[in-house]
Amino acid sequence: MTTELRHESEYSRYTFWVDDEQVGLTDYRLHDGSIDIVHTEIDPVRRGVGLGGRMVQQVLDDIRTDVHDPVRATCPFVARYIDEHPAYEDLLTR
């Protein structure tokens, strides 16, 4: 299984692909110098096998290395992911 994260900045989203099939997305909004992650979703058929966590990890890694904006985690899934993975807490805006 190969995964790929695509940043579609023109649509303010990331899409997540498994074996060349889009299975998830993460929507965000830019405002006040931060990136607010507002929604994540995985195709219902693909849920329950950890793809959501893999997608969020890759999104946060991309923000850390390429975007450099502080993060707001309006999306409950992303907020919970960061709570469970403290290595990403430094990305949060205070």
Side-chain angles (χ1 to χ4, degrees), residues 75-94:
C75 172
F77 186 86
V78 175
R80 186 171 50 253
Y81 184 89
I82 293 172
D83 285 345
E84 294 172 359
H85 299 85
Y88 292 102
E89 287 180 354
D90 65 306
L91 294 175
L92 293 175
T93 184
R94 304 282 180 223

Side-chain angles (χ1 to χ4, degrees), residues 4-5 9 15-16 18-19 23 27 29 49 51-52 54 63 71 77 92:
E4 178 186 5
L5 182 73
S9 59
T15 54
F16 191 64
V18 173
D19 298 330
V23 299
D27 291 316
R29 303 291 173 259
V49 295
L51 292 176
R54 289 176 72 178
I63 291 170
V71 171
F77 186 86
L92 293 175

Side-chain angles (χ1 to χ4, degrees), residues 35-53:
I35 183 167
D36 186 3
I37 302 174
V38 296
H39 177 75
T40 59
E41 72 180 63
I42 293 291
D43 182 338
V45 175
R46 299 290 202 130
R47 291 181 185 160
V49 295
L51 292 176

Side-chain angles (χ1 to χ4, degrees), residues 4-9 13-16 26 28 30 35 37 54-71 88 91:
E4 178 186 5
L5 182 73
R6 298 179 187 170
H7 186 188
E8 299 177 357
S9 59
R13 71 179 179 203
Y14 288 88
T15 54
F16 191 64
T26 299
Y28 65 87
L30 297 174
I35 183 167
I37 302 174
R54 289 176 72 178
M55 176 178 66
V56 169
Q57 178 184 9
Q58 290 182 27
V59 167
L60 295 172
D61 288 343
D62 186 74
I63 291 170
R64 175 175 276 143
T65 59
D66 293 336
V67 180
H68 307 292
D69 288 341
V71 171
Y88 292 102
L91 294 175

